[in-house]
Every structure is written in C-alpha cells, then in structure tokens.
Amino acid sequence: MTQVERTPRTDSSERSFRGLAARVSLGRRFTPPSTEFLMIASTALLLTVFGVVMVLSATSAMAVADGQNPLDGALRQGVFAVIGIPLMFVISRSPIAFLKKMAWPALFGAVALQMLVFTPLGIEDGGNRNWIKIAGFQLQPSEFLKLALAVWIGYVLLRKQTMLNTWHQVFIPVVPVSALAIGTVLAGKDLGTAMVLVLVLLGCLFFSGVKLRLFIIPVILGVLSVLALALTSEDRMRRITAVCTDMSAYTDNCYQSIHGMWGMATGGIFGVGLGNSQEKYGWLPAAGNDFIFAIVGEELGLIGCLIVLALFAIFAVGVFHIIRKTRDPFIRVAAGGITVWIVGQAILNIGVVIGIFPVMGVPLPFMSQGGTALLAVLIACGVLLAFARTLPAAERGKVSQ
C-alpha cells in the first residue's frame, strides 16, 4: 500500500522535471544572441548586399558594350551570396568541439584543392596560376586556405598552450606546415594572397600570447619569401618601384592606380550618384574586382567610403570583443587569425586604391566580384558567429570544450 502511494508522487516529480527541462531547453533556443554576434552578422550582411549592388553598377556598362546581359556579374555574385549567407548561419550553430576536430581535415582539404591549380584544371591569369575550373565554375582555392590555416593554427597552439615560451614548440609544426601551405600559393606566383596568408600566420601567433622575440624567425622567413618573389619577377618590380604621384604620367605602370585615384577624386564628398561612374566605362581595369572601392568613392563619394570603413570597423570591434572575453585559447587564436585576414586584406585593398601600396591583386572582402572569395569570407563569418555563441558561457567562467 505504501509503495502504491509513492508511485503517483514519483510520476508527478518526473513529469515536473521533464517539463522544467523542456522549458529550459526551449529558453536556450530563444536566448537572444550576444552583441558580438549581432555586430558580426549585421556587418557581414550589409557589406555583402552593398557589394552585390556595387558589382552590378561596376560591371553592367562593359557587359552591355560586350553584348552581354548587364545583370550577369551581379547575378553570379548574388548566387554565391544566396548560398553563403544561409551557410554562414548554419555553421554558426556548429559546436566548438566539431570545429576543433575539423582543423586537420580542413587544412589537408584546402591544400589538396590548392594543388589542383597545377593540374589541367588550373587556369593562369595575369601571370598567376591560382584558379581552377570545374564544371564551368571558376574557383580560387587559396581563399579557403586562409580560413583553414587560421583554424588549424588555433587548434595546434591550443594543444601547446603550456609550452609557448619555448621557440621550437612554437616553431614546430606551425611554421613548417604553414610555410608549405603558403608555398603552394607562391608556386602559382600569387604574391598578394601569399602575403595575406603570412599575415594570418603572424596574427595567430600574436593572439596566442607568444613572446615577441619568437616572431623573429617567421617574420624573417616571410620577408625573405616576399623579397625573393619580388626580385625574381620583372612585372612585380615594375609595379613596386613605380611612382604614381605624377598624374600626367598615367600610362603603363601607373595607369590603373591613377585612374583609381581619379575616380575617388571625382566623387568628392557626396559622389556623382549610384550608377553614374565614368571610370567603369573601360577606363579603370578590374573596376568590379580589386578596384571596386574606387567605384564606391566615385559614385557615393567620401560618405560612401566612410560607411564601408565604419562597417569594417564595427566588424573588427565585434571580433575583438570575442577575443577579449573568451577563455578558450582556440577561439582566441582562430578568431584573431580570421580577423587579421579579413580586416588586413581590406586595408591592403583600400591602400592600393588610394595609392599607398602597389597593385597586388588583393580583393576587398565581401564586396569585390568573385564568388569563391565571398563564399570563403561568409563561411569564416559563420565560424566567428559560432565563437560568439560561446560568450555567455565564457562570461560565466566556463570554457567551451
């Protein structure tokens, strides 16, 4: 009789517990995202949409002149945006443990994909062999290598967290493996992408807390590689040594740089209006690609340029908050490497457009025409959003496993 009386109470307790667990689980699903999540996601979306609009404006004129559909460039960019944006949010749900497990496979896969450029699938353009063509689609594997390298270095340095004061523990295997990965890009003579990969390596080392004296070997190796590739190429030396301050000497070496600056100067403060650029009518090479920021400056003026710069700044602030708040070394290092890649590449691209750096063929993240580059950046943002989801746990003193 006593046992019969206990059973209802037990069942009632179990039902109450299950109901409580269900409410807690449902509450977690509807927990509002962190401020960092919103900053990264919103700036990525705004820059991507802004980029598709500017690609349409920059490419439509020459498409019409060539007898093509003026929407072709924007449609191709839009397809990758439609694929990449949902993929970004799907990846943002990934557990950190899963991202850690994918570090080695992602690096091997990215290097294997990069090696395809040296097969009959490879395409050479402008002296660089850094593209492949599969089923009618042209891809740039090195874009995925940037993300894979950042995640892999974060995972390796996580395993060596207590040994980062010893130079050989930092050096092996991070520097040799990174050098081999970067070497596959250098073999295709793409110096601009190789420089970005070197920045990713140095950024990861910096955010891992490695002592500055241990940077000497990677920096020396990076500088020597860049110098060797520059000195052995007549075309690169021509671009590096060109002085483009004389606007009357706009032929040959300075043609693209000066037309980019002319476009920026023509825009003034408010621009000539969206779609009204003159430089895109065949005057400015790569108007939709590496020099799209010049079209932004011409059509939308200083105001448009400042908006783009502000969006990148908000993006960087969001990621740096993640780096500052997290207690997981993997998140800190990988997020630092990804940020150095995206923000550093944006600085390099804009520096080229305004004449600070020589032309190096580095696209503007989110905005330049190029489906592979856009897809890789959106996937990287998905990884950053996954990191941002761990912040409430990190702030309670928990480290994601």
Side-chain angles (χ1 to χ4, degrees), residues 153-215:
I153 295 175
Y155 178 72
V156 171
L157 293 183
L158 164 68
R159 312 288 290 186
K160 296 190 171 193
Q161 190 65 25
T162 59
M163 300 176 284
L164 295 183
N165 291 327
T166 308
W167 76 268
H168 66 270
Q169 293 291 348
V170 176
F171 188 85
I172 300 172
V174 169
V175 174
V177 174
S178 299
L180 288 174
I182 297 170
T184 62
V185 177
L186 287 176
K189 300 181 180 179
D190 189 349
L191 182 59
T193 301
M195 290 176 63
V196 174
L197 288 169
V198 171
L199 287 178
V200 171
L201 169 61
L202 296 178
C204 288
L205 290 175
F206 176 80
F207 286 104
S208 70
V210 170
K211 292 185 177 180
L212 292 179
R213 59 182 173 83
L214 299 180
F215 277 74

Side-chain angles (χ1 to χ4, degrees), residues 117-170:
V117 303
F118 306 110
T119 69
L121 296 174
I123 298 174
E124 185 171 335
D125 185 16
N128 295 343
R129 192 175 182 86
N130 203 26
W131 292 266
I132 58 175
K133 193 168 187 178
I134 301 176
F137 288 95
Q138 188 167 312
L139 306 174
Q140 189 173 1
S142 58
E143 293 296 327
F144 298 112
L145 187 57
K146 298 171 185 175
L147 173 60
L149 188 64
V151 174
W152 176 80
I153 295 175
Y155 178 72
V156 171
L157 293 183
L158 164 68
R159 312 288 290 186
K160 296 190 171 193
Q161 190 65 25
T162 59
M163 300 176 284
L164 295 183
N165 291 327
T166 308
W167 76 268
H168 66 270
Q169 293 291 348
V170 176

Side-chain angles (χ1 to χ4, degrees), residues 31-46 88-89 311 314-315 318-319 322 384-385 388-389 391:
T31 300
S34 65
T35 303
E36 292 77 14
F37 186 99
L38 294 175
M39 292 171 74
I40 296 169
S42 60
T43 51
L45 292 174
L46 289 172
M88 175 179 73
F89 287 108
L311 289 174
I314 294 171
F315 176 87
V319 184
I322 296 175
L384 292 175
L385 293 178
R389 287 186 183 277
L391 286 187

Side-chain angles (χ1 to χ4, degrees), residues 238-252:
R238 173 179 58 80
R239 285 183 289 171
I240 292 172
T241 57
V243 179
C244 301
T245 54
D246 184 2
M247 293 298 175
S248 63
Y250 65 92
T251 57
D252 299 329

Side-chain angles (χ1 to χ4, degrees), residues 35-330:
T35 303
E36 292 77 14
F37 186 99
L38 294 175
M39 292 171 74
I40 296 169
S42 60
T43 51
L45 292 174
L46 289 172
L47 284 168
T48 300
V49 173
F50 195 6
V52 173
V53 172
M54 293 311 304
V55 167
L56 172 62
S57 177
T59 60
S60 57
M62 292 308 298
V64 171
D66 295 337
Q68 301 173 359
N69 186 340
L71 300 178
D72 277 352
L75 286 175
R76 285 195 297 270
Q77 191 79 352
V79 167
F80 282 96
V82 168
I83 295 172
I85 290 173
L87 188 59
M88 175 179 73
F89 287 108
V90 169
I91 293 173
S92 74
R93 308 294 302 186
S94 301
I96 302 303
F98 172 76
L99 295 176
K100 291 176 181 178
K101 290 178 181 178
M102 289 299 296
W104 278 101
L107 182 65
F108 282 133
V111 171
L113 197 61
Q114 176 63 25
M115 294 300 292
L116 292 179
V117 303
F118 306 110
T119 69
L121 296 174
I123 298 174
E124 185 171 335
D125 185 16
N128 295 343
R129 192 175 182 86
N130 203 26
W131 292 266
I132 58 175
K133 193 168 187 178
I134 301 176
F137 288 95
Q138 188 167 312
L139 306 174
Q140 189 173 1
S142 58
E143 293 296 327
F144 298 112
L145 187 57
K146 298 171 185 175
L147 173 60
L149 188 64
V151 174
W152 176 80
I153 295 175
Y155 178 72
V156 171
L157 293 183
L158 164 68
R159 312 288 290 186
K160 296 190 171 193
Q161 190 65 25
T162 59
M163 300 176 284
L164 295 183
N165 291 327
T166 308
W167 76 268
H168 66 270
Q169 293 291 348
V170 176
F171 188 85
I172 300 172
V174 169
V175 174
V177 174
S178 299
L180 288 174
I182 297 170
T184 62
V185 177
L186 287 176
K189 300 181 180 179
D190 189 349
L191 182 59
T193 301
M195 290 176 63
V196 174
L197 288 169
V198 171
L199 287 178
V200 171
L201 169 61
L202 296 178
C204 288
L205 290 175
F206 176 80
F207 286 104
S208 70
V210 170
K211 292 185 177 180
L212 292 179
R213 59 182 173 83
L214 299 180
F215 277 74
I216 296 175
I217 294 177
V219 169
I220 290 176
L221 291 175
V223 171
L224 289 177
S225 299
V226 170
L227 287 176
L229 219 67
L231 293 173
T232 55
S233 172
E234 183 179 346
D235 180 64
R236 291 192 184 91
M237 286 302 298
R238 173 179 58 80
R239 285 183 289 171
I240 292 172
T241 57
V243 179
C244 301
T245 54
D246 184 2
M247 293 298 175
S248 63
Y250 65 92
T251 57
D252 299 329
N253 299 342
C254 295
Y255 181 87
Q256 191 172 18
S257 296
I258 289 181
H259 272 283
M261 287 186 278
W262 277 354
M264 297 283 289
T266 303
I269 296 178
F270 300 104
V272 298
L274 185 63
N276 293 327
S277 166
Q278 298 298 314
E279 292 293 338
K280 67 183 181 183
Y281 286 91
W283 293 104
L284 177 62
N289 298 309
D290 302 342
F291 274 75
I292 197 167
F293 191 73
I295 304 300
V296 174
E298 185 181 6
E299 295 188 348
L300 303 179
L302 177 63
I303 302 299
C305 293
L306 290 178
I307 290 174
V308 173
L309 293 174
L311 289 174
F312 276 109
I314 294 171
F315 176 87
V317 169
V319 184
F320 283 132
H321 279 188
I322 296 175
I323 295 171
R324 180 176 61 85
K325 292 179 180 180
T326 187
R327 296 187 181 183
D328 189 331
F330 168 74

